[in-house]
Amino acid sequence: MDSVQNRAGGHSGAWSVLMGERGNRLNRFLDRWAGIPLTFCTAGLRAAAGTASLNMPPEPQRVGFICLGAIGDLLLFSSLIAALRRRLPHARFYLLTSRGNAATASLIPGIDESASFGVRQISSMLDWLRGKKLDVLFDSSQWPRLGAVLSNLSGAHCTVGFDTPGQCRACG
């Protein structure tokens, strides 16, 4: 697998893409300083549109997952996906990942369709998510505000994510 550090100390393939996104100061700056007001605004839009729900449908048919973190984050997230697959055997499962996770997505059983994007391809991610017409969307993104904004604008009837203190990501 090309996503590990090579013996000479350099990085190649997916590892370089992942570190290029996660280690990018501009990406981090935008996620924090533009992301906080965008999270609040998109939460307000979602509330005004009446699409926000605190209750997961009893039998969702279209389930989405966002994991824009590292490969290990997606592997940990896969346990939730597997548990939900057992609970919802007839549902369609959709997985949105960052480019750094793209190769790992094929290792996750139970996913019907996946797509990967760069963390700045927000409109493409939203188009993909909205096109799935999700009943529920689970966000485990390492990009706190980006995941929240995507969740808020995804069109999903119910979203599930983190409420981490100081992250301003749960207002949607």
Side-chain angles (χ1 to χ4, degrees), residues 75-113:
L75 293 174
L76 289 170
F77 199 35
S78 69
S79 63
L80 171 67
I81 295 169
L84 284 171
R85 175 50 77 196
R86 286 189 298 275
R87 166 75 172 76
L88 304 167
H90 302 295
R92 299 269 310 159
F93 280 23
Y94 303 95
L95 175 63
L96 174 70
T97 68
S98 60
R99 287 185 191 145
N101 278 344
T104 310
S106 64
L107 301 174
I108 310 299
I111 298 297
D112 295 301
E113 187 179 332

Short mmCIF file of all heavy atoms in Angstrom, two decimals, residues 75-113:
data_model
loop_
_atom_site.label_atom_id
_atom_site.label_comp_id
_atom_site.label_asym_id
_atom_site.label_seq_id
_atom_site.Cartn_x
_atom_site.Cartn_y
_atom_site.Cartn_z
N LEU A 75 -11.04 3.57 9.33
CA LEU A 75 -11.08 2.19 9.82
C LEU A 75 -11.84 2.10 11.15
O LEU A 75 -12.61 1.16 11.36
CB LEU A 75 -9.67 1.62 9.94
CG LEU A 75 -8.94 1.42 8.61
CD1 LEU A 75 -7.50 0.98 8.83
CD2 LEU A 75 -9.68 0.44 7.72
N LEU A 76 -11.66 3.07 12.04
CA LEU A 76 -12.43 3.10 13.28
C LEU A 76 -13.92 3.32 13.00
O LEU A 76 -14.78 2.70 13.61
CB LEU A 76 -11.91 4.18 14.22
CG LEU A 76 -10.55 3.92 14.85
CD1 LEU A 76 -10.05 5.16 15.56
CD2 LEU A 76 -10.63 2.74 15.81
N PHE A 77 -14.22 4.20 12.06
CA PHE A 77 -15.59 4.52 11.67
C PHE A 77 -16.29 3.30 11.06
O PHE A 77 -17.50 3.17 11.12
CB PHE A 77 -15.55 5.67 10.67
CG PHE A 77 -16.83 6.43 10.48
CD1 PHE A 77 -17.71 6.66 11.51
CD2 PHE A 77 -17.12 6.98 9.24
CE1 PHE A 77 -18.87 7.40 11.32
CE2 PHE A 77 -18.27 7.71 9.03
CZ PHE A 77 -19.15 7.93 10.08
N SER A 78 -15.49 2.38 10.50
CA SER A 78 -16.06 1.20 9.84
C SER A 78 -16.84 0.30 10.80
O SER A 78 -17.75 -0.42 10.38
CB SER A 78 -14.97 0.39 9.14
OG SER A 78 -14.11 -0.22 10.07
N SER A 79 -16.53 0.36 12.10
CA SER A 79 -17.29 -0.45 13.06
C SER A 79 -18.73 0.04 13.16
O SER A 79 -19.66 -0.76 13.28
CB SER A 79 -16.61 -0.48 14.43
OG SER A 79 -16.57 0.82 14.98
N LEU A 80 -18.94 1.35 13.11
CA LEU A 80 -20.30 1.89 13.10
C LEU A 80 -21.01 1.48 11.81
O LEU A 80 -22.17 1.07 11.84
CB LEU A 80 -20.27 3.42 13.21
CG LEU A 80 -21.62 4.11 12.98
CD1 LEU A 80 -22.61 3.77 14.08
CD2 LEU A 80 -21.45 5.60 12.84
N ILE A 81 -20.31 1.57 10.70
CA ILE A 81 -20.90 1.19 9.41
C ILE A 81 -21.32 -0.27 9.44
O ILE A 81 -22.43 -0.62 9.02
CB ILE A 81 -19.91 1.49 8.26
CG1 ILE A 81 -19.67 3.01 8.16
CG2 ILE A 81 -20.42 0.92 6.95
CD1 ILE A 81 -18.53 3.41 7.24
N ALA A 82 -20.46 -1.14 9.96
CA ALA A 82 -20.78 -2.57 10.03
C ALA A 82 -21.99 -2.83 10.93
O ALA A 82 -22.88 -3.63 10.58
CB ALA A 82 -19.57 -3.37 10.52
N ALA A 83 -22.06 -2.16 12.08
CA ALA A 83 -23.19 -2.33 13.00
C ALA A 83 -24.49 -1.85 12.35
O ALA A 83 -25.53 -2.52 12.46
CB ALA A 83 -22.94 -1.59 14.31
N LEU A 84 -24.43 -0.73 11.67
CA LEU A 84 -25.63 -0.23 10.99
C LEU A 84 -26.04 -1.12 9.82
O LEU A 84 -27.22 -1.29 9.55
CB LEU A 84 -25.43 1.21 10.52
CG LEU A 84 -25.50 2.26 11.62
CD1 LEU A 84 -25.08 3.62 11.08
CD2 LEU A 84 -26.90 2.34 12.21
N ARG A 85 -25.06 -1.68 9.14
CA ARG A 85 -25.36 -2.59 8.02
C ARG A 85 -26.14 -3.81 8.54
O ARG A 85 -27.08 -4.27 7.91
CB ARG A 85 -24.08 -3.01 7.30
CG ARG A 85 -24.24 -4.04 6.20
CD ARG A 85 -25.32 -3.73 5.20
NE ARG A 85 -24.91 -2.72 4.25
CZ ARG A 85 -25.79 -2.05 3.48
NH1 ARG A 85 -27.07 -2.30 3.54
NH2 ARG A 85 -25.37 -1.16 2.65
N ARG A 86 -25.74 -4.33 9.70
CA ARG A 86 -26.48 -5.46 10.28
C ARG A 86 -27.90 -5.05 10.66
O ARG A 86 -28.84 -5.80 10.49
CB ARG A 86 -25.74 -6.01 11.51
CG ARG A 86 -24.49 -6.80 11.16
CD ARG A 86 -23.90 -7.51 12.37
NE ARG A 86 -23.47 -6.61 13.42
CZ ARG A 86 -22.29 -6.01 13.48
NH1 ARG A 86 -21.40 -6.21 12.52
NH2 ARG A 86 -21.98 -5.22 14.48
N ARG A 87 -28.05 -3.84 11.18
CA ARG A 87 -29.36 -3.33 11.60
C ARG A 87 -30.25 -2.94 10.42
O ARG A 87 -31.46 -3.03 10.48
CB ARG A 87 -29.14 -2.13 12.52
CG ARG A 87 -30.31 -1.26 12.82
CD ARG A 87 -31.29 -1.86 13.80
NE ARG A 87 -32.30 -0.94 14.20
CZ ARG A 87 -33.36 -0.58 13.47
NH1 ARG A 87 -33.50 -1.03 12.26
NH2 ARG A 87 -34.24 0.26 13.95
N LEU A 88 -29.62 -2.48 9.33
CA LEU A 88 -30.35 -1.98 8.16
C LEU A 88 -29.89 -2.69 6.89
O LEU A 88 -29.29 -2.09 6.01
CB LEU A 88 -30.12 -0.47 8.01
CG LEU A 88 -30.48 0.41 9.21
CD1 LEU A 88 -29.91 1.81 9.05
CD2 LEU A 88 -31.99 0.44 9.40
N PRO A 89 -30.16 -3.99 6.77
CA PRO A 89 -29.60 -4.76 5.64
C PRO A 89 -30.10 -4.32 4.27
O PRO A 89 -29.42 -4.56 3.27
CB PRO A 89 -30.04 -6.19 5.95
CG PRO A 89 -31.22 -6.06 6.84
CD PRO A 89 -31.01 -4.81 7.64
N HIS A 90 -31.25 -3.65 4.19
CA HIS A 90 -31.80 -3.27 2.89
C HIS A 90 -31.53 -1.81 2.53
O HIS A 90 -31.90 -1.38 1.43
CB HIS A 90 -33.30 -3.56 2.86
CG HIS A 90 -33.61 -4.99 3.13
ND1 HIS A 90 -33.21 -6.01 2.29
CD2 HIS A 90 -34.23 -5.59 4.17
CE1 HIS A 90 -33.60 -7.17 2.79
NE2 HIS A 90 -34.21 -6.95 3.94
N ALA A 91 -30.91 -1.07 3.42
CA ALA A 91 -30.61 0.34 3.15
C ALA A 91 -29.44 0.47 2.19
O ALA A 91 -28.60 -0.43 2.06
CB ALA A 91 -30.30 1.06 4.46
N ARG A 92 -29.38 1.60 1.50
CA ARG A 92 -28.24 1.94 0.65
C ARG A 92 -27.28 2.77 1.50
O ARG A 92 -27.69 3.69 2.19
CB ARG A 92 -28.68 2.76 -0.56
CG ARG A 92 -29.65 2.06 -1.48
CD ARG A 92 -29.05 1.28 -2.59
NE ARG A 92 -28.08 2.05 -3.34
CZ ARG A 92 -27.15 1.49 -4.09
NH1 ARG A 92 -27.08 0.18 -4.21
NH2 ARG A 92 -26.28 2.21 -4.76
N PHE A 93 -25.99 2.42 1.47
CA PHE A 93 -24.97 3.11 2.25
C PHE A 93 -24.03 3.87 1.31
O PHE A 93 -23.51 3.29 0.35
CB PHE A 93 -24.16 2.13 3.08
CG PHE A 93 -24.83 1.68 4.36
CD1 PHE A 93 -26.20 1.73 4.53
CD2 PHE A 93 -24.07 1.21 5.40
CE1 PHE A 93 -26.80 1.32 5.70
CE2 PHE A 93 -24.66 0.79 6.58
CZ PHE A 93 -26.03 0.86 6.73
N TYR A 94 -23.81 5.15 1.61
CA TYR A 94 -22.96 6.03 0.81
C TYR A 94 -21.85 6.60 1.68
O TYR A 94 -22.11 7.05 2.79
CB TYR A 94 -23.78 7.18 0.23
CG TYR A 94 -24.95 6.71 -0.59
CD1 TYR A 94 -26.22 6.58 -0.02
CD2 TYR A 94 -24.79 6.37 -1.93
CE1 TYR A 94 -27.30 6.14 -0.76
CE2 TYR A 94 -25.87 5.92 -2.67
CZ TYR A 94 -27.12 5.82 -2.09
OH TYR A 94 -28.19 5.38 -2.83
N LEU A 95 -20.63 6.59 1.17
CA LEU A 95 -19.47 7.05 1.94
C LEU A 95 -18.74 8.14 1.18
O LEU A 95 -18.35 7.95 0.03
CB LEU A 95 -18.52 5.87 2.20
CG LEU A 95 -17.20 6.19 2.89
CD1 LEU A 95 -17.41 6.74 4.29
CD2 LEU A 95 -16.31 4.94 2.92
N LEU A 96 -18.57 9.28 1.83
CA LEU A 96 -17.81 10.41 1.29
C LEU A 96 -16.49 10.49 2.06
O LEU A 96 -16.50 10.58 3.30
CB LEU A 96 -18.59 11.71 1.46
CG LEU A 96 -17.87 12.99 1.06
CD1 LEU A 96 -17.70 13.05 -0.45
CD2 LEU A 96 -18.64 14.19 1.55
N THR A 97 -15.38 10.44 1.35
CA THR A 97 -14.07 10.50 2.00
C THR A 97 -13.21 11.58 1.37
O THR A 97 -13.51 12.10 0.31
CB THR A 97 -13.30 9.16 1.86
OG1 THR A 97 -12.96 8.95 0.49
CG2 THR A 97 -14.11 7.99 2.38
N SER A 98 -12.12 11.87 2.05
CA SER A 98 -11.09 12.74 1.47
C SER A 98 -10.25 11.90 0.52
O SER A 98 -10.31 10.67 0.53
CB SER A 98 -10.23 13.34 2.58
OG SER A 98 -9.59 12.32 3.31
N ARG A 99 -9.46 12.56 -0.27
CA ARG A 99 -8.58 11.83 -1.21
C ARG A 99 -7.64 10.88 -0.49
O ARG A 99 -7.32 9.82 -0.99
CB ARG A 99 -7.77 12.82 -2.03
CG ARG A 99 -8.55 13.54 -3.06
CD ARG A 99 -7.62 14.40 -3.88
NE ARG A 99 -8.37 15.29 -4.73
CZ ARG A 99 -7.99 16.51 -5.02
NH1 ARG A 99 -6.85 17.00 -4.54
NH2 ARG A 99 -8.72 17.26 -5.80
N GLY A 100 -7.20 11.28 0.70
CA GLY A 100 -6.29 10.43 1.46
C GLY A 100 -6.91 9.12 1.92
O GLY A 100 -6.20 8.18 2.25
N ASN A 101 -8.23 9.06 1.97
CA ASN A 101 -8.95 7.85 2.38
C ASN A 101 -9.48 7.03 1.20
O ASN A 101 -10.05 5.97 1.41
CB ASN A 101 -10.17 8.22 3.24
CG ASN A 101 -9.80 8.47 4.66
OD1 ASN A 101 -8.74 8.10 5.12
ND2 ASN A 101 -10.69 9.10 5.38
N ALA A 102 -9.34 7.53 0.01
CA ALA A 102 -9.98 6.91 -1.16
C ALA A 102 -9.66 5.42 -1.29
O ALA A 102 -10.56 4.61 -1.50
CB ALA A 102 -9.59 7.65 -2.43
N ALA A 103 -8.42 5.04 -1.12
CA ALA A 103 -8.05 3.63 -1.28
C ALA A 103 -8.62 2.77 -0.16
O ALA A 103 -8.92 1.59 -0.36
CB ALA A 103 -6.52 3.49 -1.32
N THR A 104 -8.80 3.33 1.01
CA THR A 104 -9.30 2.58 2.15
C THR A 104 -10.79 2.30 2.03
O THR A 104 -11.29 1.31 2.57
CB THR A 104 -9.03 3.36 3.46
OG1 THR A 104 -7.65 3.74 3.47
CG2 THR A 104 -9.33 2.53 4.68
N ALA A 105 -11.52 3.15 1.33
CA ALA A 105 -12.98 2.98 1.21
C ALA A 105 -13.35 1.61 0.66
O ALA A 105 -14.35 1.02 1.08
CB ALA A 105 -13.56 4.09 0.34
N SER A 106 -12.55 1.08 -0.25
CA SER A 106 -12.86 -0.23 -0.84
C SER A 106 -12.70 -1.36 0.18
O SER A 106 -13.20 -2.46 -0.05
CB SER A 106 -11.98 -0.48 -2.05
OG SER A 106 -10.62 -0.56 -1.66
N LEU A 107 -12.03 -1.11 1.31
CA LEU A 107 -11.85 -2.13 2.34
C LEU A 107 -13.02 -2.20 3.31
O LEU A 107 -13.09 -3.11 4.14
CB LEU A 107 -10.57 -1.85 3.14
CG LEU A 107 -9.26 -1.81 2.36
CD1 LEU A 107 -8.12 -1.37 3.27
CD2 LEU A 107 -8.98 -3.15 1.72
N ILE A 108 -13.93 -1.24 3.23
CA ILE A 108 -15.05 -1.16 4.16
C ILE A 108 -16.23 -1.93 3.59
O ILE A 108 -16.83 -1.52 2.60
CB ILE A 108 -15.47 0.31 4.42
CG1 ILE A 108 -14.26 1.18 4.78
CG2 ILE A 108 -16.57 0.38 5.46
CD1 ILE A 108 -13.52 0.77 6.01
N PRO A 109 -16.58 -3.07 4.20
CA PRO A 109 -17.71 -3.84 3.67
C PRO A 109 -19.04 -3.13 3.93
O PRO A 109 -19.18 -2.41 4.91
CB PRO A 109 -17.64 -5.17 4.45
CG PRO A 109 -16.83 -4.88 5.65
CD PRO A 109 -15.95 -3.71 5.35
N GLY A 110 -19.97 -3.34 3.04
CA GLY A 110 -21.31 -2.81 3.23
C GLY A 110 -21.57 -1.47 2.58
O GLY A 110 -22.68 -0.97 2.63
N ILE A 111 -20.57 -0.86 1.98
CA ILE A 111 -20.75 0.43 1.31
C ILE A 111 -21.24 0.17 -0.11
O ILE A 111 -20.63 -0.60 -0.86
CB ILE A 111 -19.43 1.23 1.29
CG1 ILE A 111 -18.96 1.56 2.70
CG2 ILE A 111 -19.57 2.49 0.45
CD1 ILE A 111 -19.90 2.44 3.49
N ASP A 112 -22.34 0.80 -0.47
CA ASP A 112 -22.89 0.63 -1.82
C ASP A 112 -22.23 1.57 -2.83
O ASP A 112 -22.09 1.22 -4.00
CB ASP A 112 -24.40 0.86 -1.81
CG ASP A 112 -25.11 -0.19 -0.99
OD1 ASP A 112 -24.98 -1.38 -1.33
OD2 ASP A 112 -25.79 0.18 0.00
N GLU A 113 -21.85 2.76 -2.36
CA GLU A 113 -21.22 3.73 -3.26
C GLU A 113 -20.35 4.66 -2.44
O GLU A 113 -20.73 5.06 -1.34
CB GLU A 113 -22.31 4.53 -3.99
CG GLU A 113 -21.79 5.44 -5.06
CD GLU A 113 -22.92 6.19 -5.76
OE1 GLU A 113 -24.06 5.68 -5.82
OE2 GLU A 113 -22.66 7.29 -6.24
#
